[in-house]
Amino acid sequence: MKISKHISVLAGSILISSLMGTGVYASATTVDVYKSATCKCCAKWVDHMRAHGFTVNTHDVGNKEAREQAGISTKLGSCHTALVDGYAIEGHVPAQDVKRLLKERPRAVGLTAPGMPHGSPGMEGARSDPYDVLLINKQGDTTVYSRHLPSDPKESVMRLK
């Protein structure tokens, strides 16, 4: 009787987890971020990832070594490198792109938002530029994984009539 009760509890847990989808997966997923201790935009990106359900460990040692070990070239680099579930995430990649990557599980090194695009997570401000998140394959080549366009400042959620 005890065994069947444990099986029922386990089955219920699996069902709840599958119904909740990627949100449960993200909260159970740990992201290790290698960054400078003084970089404010990196800290904002960490906050963005936590706000989207990820558990984040920061390592304030810079990211050069982590980027090199992941096999990401400097031309694709940014101010921080994150490692998550076998993938590298370089720079200000939005959490929804990381969740999609973890769901689709392509054969790849990971994702990058090269440089520090204005308007990307952690780089919010008065200026917002369009930018691409790139998928880095095992040979180091890239393809566009997602495109991010700035909001039209004339379009507002709160319009006065």
PDB file of all heavy atoms in Angstrom, residues 39-76:
ATOM      1  N   CYS A  39      30.217  45.582 -12.883  1.00  0.00           N
ATOM      2  CA  CYS A  39      29.382  45.819 -14.065  1.00  0.00           C
ATOM      3  C   CYS A  39      27.907  45.867 -13.674  1.00  0.00           C
ATOM      4  O   CYS A  39      27.325  44.854 -13.296  1.00  0.00           O
ATOM      5  CB  CYS A  39      29.620  44.746 -15.122  1.00  0.00           C
ATOM      6  SG  CYS A  39      28.732  45.085 -16.653  1.00  0.00           S
ATOM      7  N   LYS A  40      27.318  47.047 -13.786  1.00  0.00           N
ATOM      8  CA  LYS A  40      25.914  47.231 -13.399  1.00  0.00           C
ATOM      9  C   LYS A  40      24.939  46.590 -14.392  1.00  0.00           C
ATOM     10  O   LYS A  40      23.905  46.072 -13.995  1.00  0.00           O
ATOM     11  CB  LYS A  40      25.620  48.715 -13.250  1.00  0.00           C
ATOM     12  CG  LYS A  40      26.502  49.390 -12.211  1.00  0.00           C
ATOM     13  CD  LYS A  40      25.714  50.241 -11.295  1.00  0.00           C
ATOM     14  CE  LYS A  40      26.569  51.019 -10.330  1.00  0.00           C
ATOM     15  NZ  LYS A  40      27.232  50.258  -9.337  1.00  0.00           N
ATOM     16  N   CYS A  41      25.273  46.607 -15.683  1.00  0.00           N
ATOM     17  CA  CYS A  41      24.354  46.008 -16.652  1.00  0.00           C
ATOM     18  C   CYS A  41      24.319  44.486 -16.498  1.00  0.00           C
ATOM     19  O   CYS A  41      23.276  43.868 -16.714  1.00  0.00           O
ATOM     20  CB  CYS A  41      24.678  46.434 -18.080  1.00  0.00           C
ATOM     21  SG  CYS A  41      26.246  45.844 -18.729  1.00  0.00           S
ATOM     22  N   CYS A  42      25.434  43.885 -16.110  1.00  0.00           N
ATOM     23  CA  CYS A  42      25.450  42.435 -15.853  1.00  0.00           C
ATOM     24  C   CYS A  42      24.530  42.101 -14.675  1.00  0.00           C
ATOM     25  O   CYS A  42      23.767  41.131 -14.728  1.00  0.00           O
ATOM     26  CB  CYS A  42      26.860  41.947 -15.537  1.00  0.00           C
ATOM     27  SG  CYS A  42      28.025  42.052 -16.899  1.00  0.00           S
ATOM     28  N   ALA A  43      24.602  42.920 -13.627  1.00  0.00           N
ATOM     29  CA  ALA A  43      23.752  42.711 -12.453  1.00  0.00           C
ATOM     30  C   ALA A  43      22.280  42.846 -12.834  1.00  0.00           C
ATOM     31  O   ALA A  43      21.431  42.084 -12.352  1.00  0.00           O
ATOM     32  CB  ALA A  43      24.115  43.697 -11.349  1.00  0.00           C
ATOM     33  N   LYS A  44      21.957  43.787 -13.735  1.00  0.00           N
ATOM     34  CA  LYS A  44      20.571  43.947 -14.186  1.00  0.00           C
ATOM     35  C   LYS A  44      20.120  42.723 -14.991  1.00  0.00           C
ATOM     36  O   LYS A  44      18.968  42.304 -14.895  1.00  0.00           O
ATOM     37  CB  LYS A  44      20.427  45.215 -15.020  1.00  0.00           C
ATOM     38  CG  LYS A  44      20.489  46.484 -14.206  1.00  0.00           C
ATOM     39  CD  LYS A  44      20.324  47.692 -15.118  1.00  0.00           C
ATOM     40  CE  LYS A  44      20.388  48.988 -14.359  1.00  0.00           C
ATOM     41  NZ  LYS A  44      20.246  50.140 -15.270  1.00  0.00           N
ATOM     42  N   TRP A  45      21.037  42.147 -15.802  1.00  0.00           N
ATOM     43  CA  TRP A  45      20.683  40.949 -16.564  1.00  0.00           C
ATOM     44  C   TRP A  45      20.428  39.779 -15.610  1.00  0.00           C
ATOM     45  O   TRP A  45      19.489  38.994 -15.815  1.00  0.00           O
ATOM     46  CB  TRP A  45      21.777  40.596 -17.584  1.00  0.00           C
ATOM     47  CG  TRP A  45      21.388  39.445 -18.457  1.00  0.00           C
ATOM     48  CD1 TRP A  45      20.561  39.493 -19.554  1.00  0.00           C
ATOM     49  CD2 TRP A  45      21.785  38.076 -18.321  1.00  0.00           C
ATOM     50  NE1 TRP A  45      20.432  38.231 -20.100  1.00  0.00           N
ATOM     51  CE2 TRP A  45      21.170  37.351 -19.361  1.00  0.00           C
ATOM     52  CE3 TRP A  45      22.602  37.406 -17.426  1.00  0.00           C
ATOM     53  CZ2 TRP A  45      21.351  35.981 -19.519  1.00  0.00           C
ATOM     54  CZ3 TRP A  45      22.775  36.034 -17.575  1.00  0.00           C
ATOM     55  CH2 TRP A  45      22.155  35.335 -18.622  1.00  0.00           C
ATOM     56  N   VAL A  46      21.235  39.665 -14.563  1.00  0.00           N
ATOM     57  CA  VAL A  46      21.025  38.628 -13.546  1.00  0.00           C
ATOM     58  C   VAL A  46      19.637  38.799 -12.931  1.00  0.00           C
ATOM     59  O   VAL A  46      18.890  37.826 -12.772  1.00  0.00           O
ATOM     60  CB  VAL A  46      22.143  38.668 -12.486  1.00  0.00           C
ATOM     61  CG1 VAL A  46      21.770  37.847 -11.260  1.00  0.00           C
ATOM     62  CG2 VAL A  46      23.464  38.182 -13.077  1.00  0.00           C
ATOM     63  N   ASP A  47      19.274  40.043 -12.599  1.00  0.00           N
ATOM     64  CA  ASP A  47      17.939  40.308 -12.047  1.00  0.00           C
ATOM     65  C   ASP A  47      16.845  39.893 -13.036  1.00  0.00           C
ATOM     66  O   ASP A  47      15.823  39.330 -12.644  1.00  0.00           O
ATOM     67  CB  ASP A  47      17.780  41.799 -11.708  1.00  0.00           C
ATOM     68  CG  ASP A  47      18.641  42.242 -10.535  1.00  0.00           C
ATOM     69  OD1 ASP A  47      19.113  41.377  -9.757  1.00  0.00           O
ATOM     70  OD2 ASP A  47      18.850  43.466 -10.402  1.00  0.00           O
ATOM     71  N   HIS A  48      17.059  40.184 -14.323  1.00  0.00           N
ATOM     72  CA  HIS A  48      16.110  39.797 -15.377  1.00  0.00           C
ATOM     73  C   HIS A  48      15.918  38.280 -15.395  1.00  0.00           C
ATOM     74  O   HIS A  48      14.778  37.793 -15.463  1.00  0.00           O
ATOM     75  CB  HIS A  48      16.632  40.304 -16.730  1.00  0.00           C
ATOM     76  CG  HIS A  48      15.957  39.717 -17.923  1.00  0.00           C
ATOM     77  ND1 HIS A  48      14.708  40.136 -18.360  1.00  0.00           N
ATOM     78  CD2 HIS A  48      16.352  38.740 -18.780  1.00  0.00           C
ATOM     79  CE1 HIS A  48      14.367  39.442 -19.432  1.00  0.00           C
ATOM     80  NE2 HIS A  48      15.345  38.590 -19.713  1.00  0.00           N
ATOM     81  N   MET A  49      17.004  37.544 -15.320  1.00  0.00           N
ATOM     82  CA  MET A  49      16.912  36.080 -15.346  1.00  0.00           C
ATOM     83  C   MET A  49      16.193  35.555 -14.108  1.00  0.00           C
ATOM     84  O   MET A  49      15.348  34.659 -14.203  1.00  0.00           O
ATOM     85  CB  MET A  49      18.308  35.466 -15.474  1.00  0.00           C
ATOM     86  CG  MET A  49      18.995  35.774 -16.803  1.00  0.00           C
ATOM     87  SD  MET A  49      18.101  35.169 -18.254  1.00  0.00           S
ATOM     88  CE  MET A  49      18.473  33.415 -18.143  1.00  0.00           C
ATOM     89  N   ARG A  50      16.500  36.114 -12.952  1.00  0.00           N
ATOM     90  CA  ARG A  50      15.816  35.697 -11.721  1.00  0.00           C
ATOM     91  C   ARG A  50      14.327  36.012 -11.793  1.00  0.00           C
ATOM     92  O   ARG A  50      13.497  35.208 -11.368  1.00  0.00           O
ATOM     93  CB  ARG A  50      16.452  36.377 -10.514  1.00  0.00           C
ATOM     94  CG  ARG A  50      17.810  35.788 -10.165  1.00  0.00           C
ATOM     95  CD  ARG A  50      18.421  36.444  -8.942  1.00  0.00           C
ATOM     96  NE  ARG A  50      19.665  35.770  -8.592  1.00  0.00           N
ATOM     97  CZ  ARG A  50      20.752  36.383  -8.150  1.00  0.00           C
ATOM     98  NH1 ARG A  50      20.757  37.702  -7.971  1.00  0.00           N
ATOM     99  NH2 ARG A  50      21.838  35.687  -7.869  1.00  0.00           N
ATOM    100  N   ALA A  51      13.987  37.174 -12.352  1.00  0.00           N
ATOM    101  CA  ALA A  51      12.582  37.564 -12.474  1.00  0.00           C
ATOM    102  C   ALA A  51      11.807  36.620 -13.391  1.00  0.00           C
ATOM    103  O   ALA A  51      10.588  36.521 -13.301  1.00  0.00           O
ATOM    104  CB  ALA A  51      12.479  38.997 -13.002  1.00  0.00           C
ATOM    105  N   HIS A  52      12.533  35.910 -14.257  1.00  0.00           N
ATOM    106  CA  HIS A  52      11.902  34.955 -15.172  1.00  0.00           C
ATOM    107  C   HIS A  52      12.054  33.510 -14.691  1.00  0.00           C
ATOM    108  O   HIS A  52      11.928  32.568 -15.475  1.00  0.00           O
ATOM    109  CB  HIS A  52      12.444  35.140 -16.593  1.00  0.00           C
ATOM    110  CG  HIS A  52      11.887  36.355 -17.242  1.00  0.00           C
ATOM    111  ND1 HIS A  52      12.418  37.602 -17.053  1.00  0.00           N
ATOM    112  CD2 HIS A  52      10.803  36.514 -18.029  1.00  0.00           C
ATOM    113  CE1 HIS A  52      11.703  38.481 -17.717  1.00  0.00           C
ATOM    114  NE2 HIS A  52      10.705  37.850 -18.308  1.00  0.00           N
ATOM    115  N   GLY A  53      12.353  33.334 -13.408  1.00  0.00           N
ATOM    116  CA  GLY A  53      12.293  32.016 -12.803  1.00  0.00           C
ATOM    117  C   GLY A  53      13.574  31.221 -12.716  1.00  0.00           C
ATOM    118  O   GLY A  53      13.570  30.103 -12.224  1.00  0.00           O
ATOM    119  N   PHE A  54      14.682  31.770 -13.203  1.00  0.00           N
ATOM    120  CA  PHE A  54      15.938  31.039 -13.142  1.00  0.00           C
ATOM    121  C   PHE A  54      16.612  31.234 -11.785  1.00  0.00           C
ATOM    122  O   PHE A  54      16.480  32.287 -11.167  1.00  0.00           O
ATOM    123  CB  PHE A  54      16.905  31.519 -14.239  1.00  0.00           C
ATOM    124  CG  PHE A  54      16.509  31.104 -15.626  1.00  0.00           C
ATOM    125  CD1 PHE A  54      15.704  31.916 -16.413  1.00  0.00           C
ATOM    126  CD2 PHE A  54      16.934  29.892 -16.149  1.00  0.00           C
ATOM    127  CE1 PHE A  54      15.329  31.538 -17.690  1.00  0.00           C
ATOM    128  CE2 PHE A  54      16.561  29.499 -17.432  1.00  0.00           C
ATOM    129  CZ  PHE A  54      15.763  30.326 -18.200  1.00  0.00           C
ATOM    130  N   THR A  55      17.322  30.223 -11.343  1.00  0.00           N
ATOM    131  CA  THR A  55      18.208  30.334 -10.191  1.00  0.00           C
ATOM    132  C   THR A  55      19.558  30.755 -10.744  1.00  0.00           C
ATOM    133  O   THR A  55      20.069  30.116 -11.671  1.00  0.00           O
ATOM    134  CB  THR A  55      18.345  28.975  -9.472  1.00  0.00           C
ATOM    135  OG1 THR A  55      17.041  28.577  -9.026  1.00  0.00           O
ATOM    136  CG2 THR A  55      19.299  29.053  -8.298  1.00  0.00           C
ATOM    137  N   VAL A  56      20.135  31.836 -10.214  1.00  0.00           N
ATOM    138  CA  VAL A  56      21.367  32.380 -10.781  1.00  0.00           C
ATOM    139  C   VAL A  56      22.458  32.445  -9.727  1.00  0.00           C
ATOM    140  O   VAL A  56      22.253  32.981  -8.637  1.00  0.00           O
ATOM    141  CB  VAL A  56      21.141  33.794 -11.375  1.00  0.00           C
ATOM    142  CG1 VAL A  56      22.417  34.311 -12.021  1.00  0.00           C
ATOM    143  CG2 VAL A  56      20.009  33.777 -12.389  1.00  0.00           C
ATOM    144  N   ASN A  57      23.612  31.889 -10.060  1.00  0.00           N
ATOM    145  CA  ASN A  57      24.825  32.012  -9.250  1.00  0.00           C
ATOM    146  C   ASN A  57      25.777  32.934  -9.999  1.00  0.00           C
ATOM    147  O   ASN A  57      26.029  32.715 -11.182  1.00  0.00           O
ATOM    148  CB  ASN A  57      25.514  30.657  -9.047  1.00  0.00           C
ATOM    149  CG  ASN A  57      24.634  29.689  -8.285  1.00  0.00           C
ATOM    150  OD1 ASN A  57      23.906  30.060  -7.390  1.00  0.00           O
ATOM    151  ND2 ASN A  57      24.694  28.424  -8.673  1.00  0.00           N
ATOM    152  N   THR A  58      26.274  33.953  -9.332  1.00  0.00           N
ATOM    153  CA  THR A  58      27.213  34.861  -9.987  1.00  0.00           C
ATOM    154  C   THR A  58      28.633  34.582  -9.522  1.00  0.00           C
ATOM    155  O   THR A  58      28.863  34.219  -8.372  1.00  0.00           O
ATOM    156  CB  THR A  58      26.854  36.336  -9.717  1.00  0.00           C
ATOM    157  OG1 THR A  58      26.866  36.565  -8.312  1.00  0.00           O
ATOM    158  CG2 THR A  58      25.496  36.689 -10.294  1.00  0.00           C
ATOM    159  N   HIS A  59      29.553  34.756 -10.457  1.00  0.00           N
ATOM    160  CA  HIS A  59      30.986  34.584 -10.195  1.00  0.00           C
ATOM    161  C   HIS A  59      31.662  35.864 -10.678  1.00  0.00           C
ATOM    162  O   HIS A  59      31.769  36.098 -11.884  1.00  0.00           O
ATOM    163  CB  HIS A  59      31.528  33.360 -10.943  1.00  0.00           C
ATOM    164  CG  HIS A  59      30.742  32.115 -10.666  1.00  0.00           C
ATOM    165  ND1 HIS A  59      30.946  31.330  -9.554  1.00  0.00           N
ATOM    166  CD2 HIS A  59      29.722  31.539 -11.357  1.00  0.00           C
ATOM    167  CE1 HIS A  59      30.090  30.314  -9.576  1.00  0.00           C
ATOM    168  NE2 HIS A  59      29.346  30.419 -10.659  1.00  0.00           N
ATOM    169  N   ASP A  60      32.074  36.698  -9.743  1.00  0.00           N
ATOM    170  CA  ASP A  60      32.647  38.007 -10.066  1.00  0.00           C
ATOM    171  C   ASP A  60      34.136  37.903 -10.368  1.00  0.00           C
ATOM    172  O   ASP A  60      34.973  38.460  -9.665  1.00  0.00           O
ATOM    173  CB  ASP A  60      32.373  38.985  -8.926  1.00  0.00           C
ATOM    174  CG  ASP A  60      30.897  39.304  -8.775  1.00  0.00           C
ATOM    175  OD1 ASP A  60      30.169  39.208  -9.776  1.00  0.00           O
ATOM    176  OD2 ASP A  60      30.476  39.651  -7.655  1.00  0.00           O
ATOM    177  N   VAL A  61      34.443  37.197 -11.456  1.00  0.00           N
ATOM    178  CA  VAL A  61      35.837  36.945 -11.851  1.00  0.00           C
ATOM    179  C   VAL A  61      36.116  37.378 -13.289  1.00  0.00           C
ATOM    180  O   VAL A  61      37.155  37.048 -13.846  1.00  0.00           O
ATOM    181  CB  VAL A  61      36.198  35.452 -11.681  1.00  0.00           C
ATOM    182  CG1 VAL A  61      36.142  35.048 -10.208  1.00  0.00           C
ATOM    183  CG2 VAL A  61      35.286  34.565 -12.524  1.00  0.00           C
ATOM    184  N   GLY A  62      35.161  38.076 -13.888  1.00  0.00           N
ATOM    185  CA  GLY A  62      35.271  38.385 -15.314  1.00  0.00           C
ATOM    186  C   GLY A  62      34.777  37.209 -16.127  1.00  0.00           C
ATOM    187  O   GLY A  62      34.461  36.146 -15.587  1.00  0.00           O
ATOM    188  N   ASN A  63      34.713  37.398 -17.450  1.00  0.00           N
ATOM    189  CA  ASN A  63      34.154  36.326 -18.273  1.00  0.00           C
ATOM    190  C   ASN A  63      35.080  35.838 -19.382  1.00  0.00           C
ATOM    191  O   ASN A  63      34.702  34.966 -20.157  1.00  0.00           O
ATOM    192  CB  ASN A  63      32.819  36.767 -18.875  1.00  0.00           C
ATOM    193  CG  ASN A  63      32.951  37.827 -19.942  1.00  0.00           C
ATOM    194  OD1 ASN A  63      33.768  38.734 -19.842  1.00  0.00           O
ATOM    195  ND2 ASN A  63      32.125  37.740 -20.958  1.00  0.00           N
ATOM    196  N   LYS A  64      36.273  36.355 -19.461  1.00  0.00           N
ATOM    197  CA  LYS A  64      37.173  35.972 -20.552  1.00  0.00           C
ATOM    198  C   LYS A  64      37.432  34.463 -20.570  1.00  0.00           C
ATOM    199  O   LYS A  64      37.300  33.812 -21.606  1.00  0.00           O
ATOM    200  CB  LYS A  64      38.492  36.740 -20.441  1.00  0.00           C
ATOM    201  CG  LYS A  64      39.439  36.440 -21.571  1.00  0.00           C
ATOM    202  CD  LYS A  64      40.740  37.209 -21.434  1.00  0.00           C
ATOM    203  CE  LYS A  64      41.669  36.804 -22.570  1.00  0.00           C
ATOM    204  NZ  LYS A  64      42.987  37.373 -22.431  1.00  0.00           N
ATOM    205  N   GLU A  65      37.778  33.912 -19.427  1.00  0.00           N
ATOM    206  CA  GLU A  65      38.089  32.478 -19.354  1.00  0.00           C
ATOM    207  C   GLU A  65      36.861  31.618 -19.646  1.00  0.00           C
ATOM    208  O   GLU A  65      36.935  30.645 -20.394  1.00  0.00           O
ATOM    209  CB  GLU A  65      38.660  32.136 -17.975  1.00  0.00           C
ATOM    210  CG  GLU A  65      39.198  30.728 -17.896  1.00  0.00           C
ATOM    211  CD  GLU A  65      39.891  30.462 -16.562  1.00  0.00           C
ATOM    212  OE1 GLU A  65      40.643  31.335 -16.090  1.00  0.00           O
ATOM    213  OE2 GLU A  65      39.660  29.368 -16.015  1.00  0.00           O
ATOM    214  N   ALA A  66      35.708  31.993 -19.090  1.00  0.00           N
ATOM    215  CA  ALA A  66      34.478  31.229 -19.331  1.00  0.00           C
ATOM    216  C   ALA A  66      34.110  31.267 -20.810  1.00  0.00           C
ATOM    217  O   ALA A  66      33.708  30.246 -21.391  1.00  0.00           O
ATOM    218  CB  ALA A  66      33.336  31.782 -18.488  1.00  0.00           C
ATOM    219  N   ARG A  67      34.255  32.430 -21.451  1.00  0.00           N
ATOM    220  CA  ARG A  67      33.942  32.559 -22.876  1.00  0.00           C
ATOM    221  C   ARG A  67      34.873  31.678 -23.700  1.00  0.00           C
ATOM    222  O   ARG A  67      34.429  30.975 -24.610  1.00  0.00           O
ATOM    223  CB  ARG A  67      34.064  34.013 -23.327  1.00  0.00           C
ATOM    224  CG  ARG A  67      33.659  34.199 -24.782  1.00  0.00           C
ATOM    225  CD  ARG A  67      33.890  35.594 -25.338  1.00  0.00           C
ATOM    226  NE  ARG A  67      33.565  36.675 -24.449  1.00  0.00           N
ATOM    227  CZ  ARG A  67      34.408  37.665 -24.154  1.00  0.00           C
ATOM    228  NH1 ARG A  67      35.602  37.720 -24.679  1.00  0.00           N
ATOM    229  NH2 ARG A  67      34.035  38.628 -23.344  1.00  0.00           N
ATOM    230  N   GLU A  68      36.171  31.715 -23.389  1.00  0.00           N
ATOM    231  CA  GLU A  68      37.138  30.889 -24.121  1.00  0.00           C
ATOM    232  C   GLU A  68      36.845  29.406 -23.943  1.00  0.00           C
ATOM    233  O   GLU A  68      36.871  28.646 -24.911  1.00  0.00           O
ATOM    234  CB  GLU A  68      38.564  31.207 -23.657  1.00  0.00           C
ATOM    235  CG  GLU A  68      39.073  32.547 -24.143  1.00  0.00           C
ATOM    236  CD  GLU A  68      40.427  32.924 -23.549  1.00  0.00           C
ATOM    237  OE1 GLU A  68      40.962  32.174 -22.684  1.00  0.00           O
ATOM    238  OE2 GLU A  68      40.947  33.990 -23.926  1.00  0.00           O
ATOM    239  N   GLN A  69      36.556  28.989 -22.717  1.00  0.00           N
ATOM    240  CA  GLN A  69      36.272  27.573 -22.461  1.00  0.00           C
ATOM    241  C   GLN A  69      34.997  27.112 -23.165  1.00  0.00           C
ATOM    242  O   GLN A  69      34.897  25.966 -23.580  1.00  0.00           O
ATOM    243  CB  GLN A  69      36.177  27.313 -20.960  1.00  0.00           C
ATOM    244  CG  GLN A  69      37.529  27.329 -20.287  1.00  0.00           C
ATOM    245  CD  GLN A  69      37.444  27.031 -18.799  1.00  0.00           C
ATOM    246  OE1 GLN A  69      36.375  26.921 -18.215  1.00  0.00           O
ATOM    247  NE2 GLN A  69      38.605  26.902 -18.176  1.00  0.00           N
ATOM    248  N   ALA A  70      34.046  28.021 -23.327  1.00  0.00           N
ATOM    249  CA  ALA A  70      32.810  27.675 -24.030  1.00  0.00           C
ATOM    250  C   ALA A  70      33.022  27.616 -25.536  1.00  0.00           C
ATOM    251  O   ALA A  70      32.200  27.059 -26.252  1.00  0.00           O
ATOM    252  CB  ALA A  70      31.720  28.694 -23.700  1.00  0.00           C
ATOM    253  N   GLY A  71      34.113  28.192 -26.023  1.00  0.00           N
ATOM    254  CA  GLY A  71      34.389  28.186 -27.454  1.00  0.00           C
ATOM    255  C   GLY A  71      33.725  29.321 -28.206  1.00  0.00           C
ATOM    256  O   GLY A  71      33.435  29.207 -29.396  1.00  0.00           O
ATOM    257  N   ILE A  72      33.507  30.434 -27.515  1.00  0.00           N
ATOM    258  CA  ILE A  72      32.884  31.602 -28.149  1.00  0.00           C
ATOM    259  C   ILE A  72      33.984  32.600 -28.509  1.00  0.00           C
ATOM    260  O   ILE A  72      34.781  32.981 -27.651  1.00  0.00           O
ATOM    261  CB  ILE A  72      31.852  32.252 -27.210  1.00  0.00           C
ATOM    262  CG1 ILE A  72      30.735  31.244 -26.895  1.00  0.00           C
ATOM    263  CG2 ILE A  72      31.274  33.522 -27.830  1.00  0.00           C
ATOM    264  CD1 ILE A  72      29.770  31.717 -25.846  1.00  0.00           C
ATOM    265  N   SER A  73      33.995  33.019 -29.774  1.00  0.00           N
ATOM    266  CA  SER A  73      35.023  33.968 -30.211  1.00  0.00           C
ATOM    267  C   SER A  73      34.771  35.345 -29.613  1.00  0.00           C
ATOM    268  O   SER A  73      33.639  35.699 -29.272  1.00  0.00           O
ATOM    269  CB  SER A  73      35.050  34.062 -31.742  1.00  0.00           C
ATOM    270  OG  SER A  73      33.931  34.782 -32.201  1.00  0.00           O
ATOM    271  N   THR A  74      35.832  36.143 -29.534  1.00  0.00           N
ATOM    272  CA  THR A  74      35.709  37.488 -28.970  1.00  0.00           C
ATOM    273  C   THR A  74      34.806  38.376 -29.833  1.00  0.00           C
ATOM    274  O   THR A  74      34.170  39.282 -29.307  1.00  0.00           O
ATOM    275  CB  THR A  74      37.079  38.149 -28.789  1.00  0.00           C
ATOM    276  OG1 THR A  74      37.764  38.134 -30.044  1.00  0.00           O
ATOM    277  CG2 THR A  74      37.911  37.437 -27.746  1.00  0.00           C
ATOM    278  N   LYS A  75      34.720  38.113 -31.141  1.00  0.00           N
ATOM    279  CA  LYS A  75      33.852  38.937 -31.995  1.00  0.00           C
ATOM    280  C   LYS A  75      32.372  38.730 -31.668  1.00  0.00           C
ATOM    281  O   LYS A  75      31.541  39.555 -31.998  1.00  0.00           O
ATOM    282  CB  LYS A  75      34.119  38.696 -33.476  1.00  0.00           C
ATOM    283  CG  LYS A  75      33.624  37.373 -34.005  1.00  0.00           C
ATOM    284  CD  LYS A  75      33.866  37.223 -35.487  1.00  0.00           C
ATOM    285  CE  LYS A  75      33.281  35.898 -35.940  1.00  0.00           C
ATOM    286  NZ  LYS A  75      33.292  35.724 -37.364  1.00  0.00           N
ATOM    287  N   LEU A  76      32.046  37.635 -30.992  1.00  0.00           N
ATOM    288  CA  LEU A  76      30.677  37.375 -30.558  1.00  0.00           C
ATOM    289  C   LEU A  76      30.487  37.713 -29.081  1.00  0.00           C
ATOM    290  O   LEU A  76      29.430  37.453 -28.511  1.00  0.00           O
ATOM    291  CB  LEU A  76      30.313  35.901 -30.794  1.00  0.00           C
ATOM    292  CG  LEU A  76      30.325  35.431 -32.235  1.00  0.00           C
ATOM    293  CD1 LEU A  76      30.090  33.923 -32.304  1.00  0.00           C
ATOM    294  CD2 LEU A  76      29.301  36.185 -33.068  1.00  0.00           C
TER     295      LEU A  76
END
